[in-house]
Coordinates of all heavy atoms in Angstrom, one line a residue:
Q1 N -8.1 -13.6 -1.4 CA -8.2 -12.8 -0.2 C -7.6 -11.3 -0.6 O -7.5 -10.5 0.3 CB -7.4 -13.5 0.8 CG -7.8 -14.7 1.3 CD -9.2 -14.7 2.0 OE1 -9.4 -13.8 2.7 NE2 -10.0 -15.7 1.7
A2 N -7.3 -11.0 -1.7 CA -6.6 -9.7 -2.0 C -7.3 -8.6 -1.7 O -6.7 -7.6 -1.1 CB -6.1 -9.8 -3.5
S3 N -8.6 -8.4 -2.1 CA -9.3 -7.2 -1.8 C -9.4 -7.0 -0.3 O -9.2 -5.8 0.2 CB -10.6 -7.3 -2.4 OG -11.5 -8.2 -1.9
T4 N -9.7 -8.0 0.4 CA -9.8 -7.9 2.0 C -8.5 -7.5 2.5 O -8.3 -6.6 3.3 CB -10.3 -9.2 2.6 OG1 -11.6 -9.4 2.0 CG2 -10.4 -9.0 4.1
G5 N -7.4 -8.2 2.2 CA -6.1 -8.0 2.6 C -5.6 -6.6 2.3 O -5.0 -5.9 3.1
I6 N -5.8 -6.1 1.1 CA -5.4 -4.8 0.5 C -6.2 -3.7 1.5 O -5.6 -2.8 2.0 CB -5.7 -4.5 -0.8 CG1 -4.7 -5.3 -1.6 CG2 -5.6 -3.0 -1.2 CD1 -4.9 -5.4 -3.1
S7 N -7.4 -3.9 1.9 CA -8.1 -2.9 2.7 C -7.5 -2.9 4.1 O -7.4 -1.7 4.6 CB -9.7 -3.4 2.7 OG -10.2 -3.4 1.7
H8 N -7.1 -4.1 4.6 CA -6.5 -4.2 6.0 C -5.2 -3.4 5.9 O -4.8 -2.7 6.9 CB -6.4 -5.5 6.5 CG -7.7 -6.1 6.8 ND1 -8.4 -5.7 8.0 CD2 -8.4 -7.1 6.2 CE1 -9.5 -6.5 8.0 NE2 -9.6 -7.3 6.9
I9 N -4.3 -3.5 4.9 CA -3.1 -3.0 4.7 C -3.3 -1.4 4.8 O -2.6 -0.7 5.5 CB -2.3 -3.3 3.4 CG1 -1.9 -4.8 3.7 CG2 -1.1 -2.5 3.1 CD1 -1.5 -5.5 2.4
Y10 N -4.2 -0.9 3.9 CA -4.5 0.6 3.9 C -4.9 1.2 5.2 O -4.4 2.2 5.6 CB -5.7 0.9 2.8 CG -5.2 0.9 1.4 CD1 -6.0 0.3 0.4 CD2 -4.0 1.4 0.9 CE1 -5.7 0.3 -1.0 CE2 -3.6 1.4 -0.3 CZ -4.4 0.8 -1.3 OH -4.1 0.8 -2.6
E11 N -5.7 0.3 5.9 CA -6.1 0.8 7.3 C -5.0 1.0 8.3 O -5.0 1.8 9.1 CB -7.2 -0.2 7.8 CG -8.5 -0.3 7.2 CD -9.4 -1.5 7.7 OE1 -9.0 -2.1 8.6 OE2 -10.4 -1.5 7.1
R12 N -3.8 0.3 8.1 CA -2.9 0.3 9.0 C -1.7 1.3 8.6 O -0.7 1.3 9.2 CB -2.1 -1.1 9.1 CG -3.3 -2.1 9.8 CD -2.6 -3.5 9.8 NE -1.6 -3.6 10.7 CZ -0.6 -4.5 10.8 NH1 -0.7 -5.4 9.9 NH2 0.3 -4.4 11.6
L13 N -1.9 2.0 7.5 CA -1.0 3.0 7.1 C -1.2 4.3 7.7 O -2.2 4.6 8.2 CB -0.9 3.2 5.5 CG -0.6 2.0 4.7 CD1 -0.8 2.3 3.1 CD2 0.8 1.6 4.9
P14 N -0.1 5.2 7.8 CA -0.3 6.4 8.4 C -1.3 7.3 7.6 O -1.6 7.1 6.4 CB 1.1 7.2 8.4 CG 2.1 6.0 8.1 CD 1.3 4.9 7.4
A15 N -1.9 8.2 8.4 CA -3.0 9.1 7.7 C -2.4 9.8 6.5 O -1.4 10.3 6.4 CB -3.4 10.1 8.7
G16 N -3.2 9.6 5.4 CA -2.8 10.4 4.2 C -1.9 9.5 3.3 O -1.8 9.7 2.1
A17 N -1.3 8.4 3.7 CA -0.4 7.6 3.1 C -1.2 6.7 2.0 O -0.7 6.7 0.8 CB 0.3 6.5 3.9
S18 N -2.4 6.5 2.2 CA -3.2 5.8 1.3 C -3.6 6.5 0.0 O -4.0 5.9 -1.0 CB -4.5 5.1 1.9 OG -5.3 6.2 2.3
K19 N -3.4 7.8 0.0 CA -3.6 8.5 -1.1 C -2.6 8.5 -2.2 O -2.8 8.8 -3.3 CB -3.8 10.1 -0.7 CG -5.1 10.4 0.2 CD -5.1 11.9 0.5 CE -6.2 12.1 1.6 NZ -6.1 13.6 2.0
H20 N -1.4 8.1 -1.7 CA -0.2 8.1 -2.6 C 0.3 6.6 -2.8 O 1.2 6.4 -3.6 CB 0.9 8.9 -2.0 CG 0.5 10.3 -1.8 ND1 0.2 11.1 -2.7 CD2 0.3 10.9 -0.5 CE1 -0.2 12.3 -2.2 NE2 -0.2 12.2 -0.9
V21 N -0.2 5.7 -2.0 CA 0.2 4.3 -2.2 C -0.9 3.5 -2.8 O -2.1 3.6 -2.6 CB 0.4 3.7 -0.8 CG1 0.7 2.1 -0.9 CG2 1.6 4.4 -0.1
N22 N -0.5 2.7 -3.9 CA -1.5 1.9 -4.6 C -1.0 0.4 -4.4 O 0.1 0.1 -4.9 CB -1.6 2.2 -6.0 CG -2.7 1.4 -6.8 OD1 -3.7 1.1 -6.2 ND2 -2.3 1.1 -8.1
L23 N -1.9 -0.4 -3.9 CA -1.7 -1.8 -4.0 C -2.7 -2.6 -4.8 O -3.9 -2.2 -4.8 CB -1.8 -2.4 -2.5 CG -0.7 -2.2 -1.6 CD1 -1.1 -2.4 -0.1 CD2 0.4 -3.2 -2.0
S24 N -2.2 -3.4 -5.7 CA -3.3 -4.1 -6.5 C -2.9 -5.4 -6.8 O -1.6 -5.8 -6.8 CB -3.4 -3.3 -7.9 OG -2.2 -3.2 -8.4
P25 N -3.7 -6.4 -6.9 CA -3.5 -7.8 -7.2 C -2.9 -8.0 -8.6 O -3.4 -7.3 -9.5 CB -4.8 -8.6 -7.0 CG -5.8 -7.5 -7.0 CD -5.3 -6.2 -6.7
V26 N -1.9 -8.9 -8.7 CA -1.3 -9.2 -10.0 C -1.3 -10.7 -10.0 O -1.4 -11.3 -8.8 CB 0.0 -8.6 -10.3 CG1 -0.2 -7.0 -10.5 CG2 1.0 -8.9 -9.2
P27 N -1.1 -11.4 -11.1 CA -1.1 -12.8 -11.1 C 0.1 -13.5 -10.2 O -0.2 -14.5 -9.6 CB -0.8 -13.2 -12.6 CG -1.3 -12.1 -13.4 CD -1.1 -10.8 -12.5
E28 N 1.0 -12.7 -10.0 CA 2.2 -13.3 -9.2 C 2.0 -13.0 -7.6 O 2.6 -13.6 -6.8 CB 3.4 -12.8 -9.5 CG 4.0 -13.0 -10.9 CD 3.5 -11.9 -12.0 OE1 2.8 -11.0 -11.5 OE2 3.7 -12.1 -13.0
G29 N 1.1 -12.0 -7.4 CA 0.9 -11.6 -5.9 C 0.3 -10.3 -5.8 O -0.8 -10.1 -6.1
L30 N 1.1 -9.3 -5.4 CA 0.7 -7.9 -5.3 C 1.6 -7.0 -6.1 O 2.9 -7.2 -6.0 CB 0.5 -7.4 -3.8 CG -0.6 -8.1 -2.9 CD1 -0.4 -7.7 -1.5 CD2 -1.9 -7.8 -3.5
L31 N 1.2 -5.9 -6.5 CA 2.0 -4.7 -7.1 C 1.8 -3.6 -6.1 O 0.7 -3.2 -5.9 CB 1.4 -4.4 -8.5 CG 2.1 -3.3 -9.0 CD1 3.7 -3.6 -9.4 CD2 1.4 -2.8 -10.4
L32 N 2.9 -3.1 -5.7 CA 3.0 -1.9 -4.8 C 3.6 -0.7 -5.6 O 4.6 -0.8 -6.1 CB 3.7 -2.1 -3.6 CG 4.0 -1.0 -2.7 CD1 2.9 -0.7 -1.8 CD2 5.4 -1.1 -1.9
C33 N 2.7 0.4 -5.7 CA 3.2 1.6 -6.4 C 3.1 2.7 -5.4 O 2.1 2.9 -4.7 CB 2.4 1.8 -7.6 SG 2.4 0.6 -8.9
D34 N 4.2 3.5 -5.3 CA 4.2 4.7 -4.5 C 5.0 5.7 -5.1 O 6.2 5.5 -5.4 CB 4.8 4.3 -3.1 CG 4.7 5.5 -2.1 OD1 5.5 6.5 -2.4 OD2 4.1 5.4 -1.1
Y35 N 4.5 6.8 -5.4 CA 5.1 7.9 -6.1 C 5.4 9.2 -5.3 O 6.2 10.0 -5.5 CB 4.5 8.2 -7.4 CG 4.6 7.1 -8.3 CD1 3.4 6.4 -8.7 CD2 5.8 6.8 -9.0 CE1 3.6 5.3 -9.5 CE2 5.7 5.7 -9.9 CZ 4.8 5.0 -10.2 OH 4.8 3.9 -10.9
L36 N 4.4 9.5 -4.4 CA 4.4 10.8 -3.7 C 4.6 10.9 -2.3 O 4.7 11.9 -1.7 CB 3.2 11.5 -4.2 CG 2.8 11.7 -5.6 CD1 1.4 12.2 -5.9 CD2 3.9 12.7 -6.3
S37 N 4.4 9.8 -1.6 CA 4.5 9.8 -0.1 C 5.8 9.7 0.4 O 6.8 9.5 -0.4 CB 3.7 8.5 0.5 OG 4.4 7.3 0.3
H38 N 6.1 10.0 1.7 CA 7.4 10.0 2.2 C 8.0 8.7 2.2 O 7.2 7.6 2.3 CB 7.1 10.5 3.7 CG 8.5 10.7 4.4 ND1 9.2 9.8 5.0 CD2 9.2 12.0 4.6 CE1 10.4 10.3 5.5 NE2 10.3 11.5 5.2
E39 N 9.3 8.5 2.2 CA 9.9 7.2 2.1 C 9.5 6.3 3.2 O 9.3 5.1 2.9 CB 11.3 7.4 2.2 CG 12.0 8.0 0.7 CD 13.5 8.2 0.8 OE1 14.1 7.9 1.8 OE2 14.0 8.6 -0.3
S40 N 9.3 6.7 4.4 CA 8.9 5.9 5.5 C 7.6 5.3 5.3 O 7.3 4.1 5.7 CB 9.1 6.6 6.8 OG 8.1 7.7 6.9
D41 N 6.7 6.1 4.7 CA 5.3 5.5 4.4 C 5.4 4.5 3.3 O 4.6 3.4 3.5 CB 4.4 6.7 3.8 CG 4.0 7.7 5.0 OD1 4.3 7.5 6.1 OD2 3.5 8.9 4.6
A42 N 6.3 4.6 2.3 CA 6.4 3.6 1.3 C 7.0 2.4 1.9 O 6.6 1.4 1.7 CB 7.3 4.2 0.2
A43 N 7.9 2.5 2.7 CA 8.6 1.4 3.5 C 7.6 0.7 4.4 O 7.4 -0.6 4.5 CB 9.7 1.9 4.3
M44 N 6.6 1.4 5.1 CA 5.7 0.8 5.8 C 4.6 0.1 5.0 O 4.2 -1.1 5.4 CB 4.9 1.8 6.8 CG 3.9 1.2 7.7 SD 3.2 2.6 8.8 CE 4.6 2.9 9.8
A45 N 4.3 0.6 3.9 CA 3.3 -0.1 3.0 C 4.0 -1.4 2.5 O 3.4 -2.4 2.4 CB 3.0 0.8 1.8
L46 N 5.2 -1.3 2.2 CA 6.0 -2.6 1.7 C 5.9 -3.6 2.8 O 5.6 -4.8 2.6 CB 7.3 -2.2 1.2 CG 8.2 -3.4 0.7 CD1 7.6 -4.0 -0.4 CD2 9.6 -3.0 0.4
Q47 N 6.3 -3.2 4.0 CA 6.4 -4.1 5.2 C 5.1 -4.7 5.5 O 4.9 -6.0 5.6 CB 6.8 -3.4 6.4 CG 6.9 -4.2 7.7 CD 7.2 -3.4 8.8 OE1 7.1 -2.2 8.9 NE2 7.5 -4.1 9.9

C-alpha cells in the first residue's frame, strides 16, 4: 500500500511542503527525509 499511502500523505501536507519532504518505502516501513521545510511541516509529515 506504500505508493498509495505516500500519495495521500503528500496531499494532506501544507502547500509547498511536498517539495521538501520525501517519503519512500524501505523494508522496515517508511523513510522520511526533510531538509528544507519549516519544522512544523516536517512534524506534520511525520505525524
Side-chain angles (χ1 to χ4, degrees):
Q1 300 294 322
S3 64
T4 302
I6 290 169
S7 294
H8 289 287
I9 292 166
Y10 283 141
E11 290 171 5
R12 297 178 64 204
L13 293 178
S18 62
K19 294 177 185 175
H20 306 293
V21 174
N22 181 39
L23 282 161
S24 54
V26 293
E28 299 89 359
L30 293 177
L31 176 66
L32 171 81
C33 300
D34 179 295
Y35 294 106
L36 301 172
S37 70
H38 191 274
E39 289 178 359
S40 63
D41 292 346
M44 185 176 291
L46 179 62
Q47 178 187 15

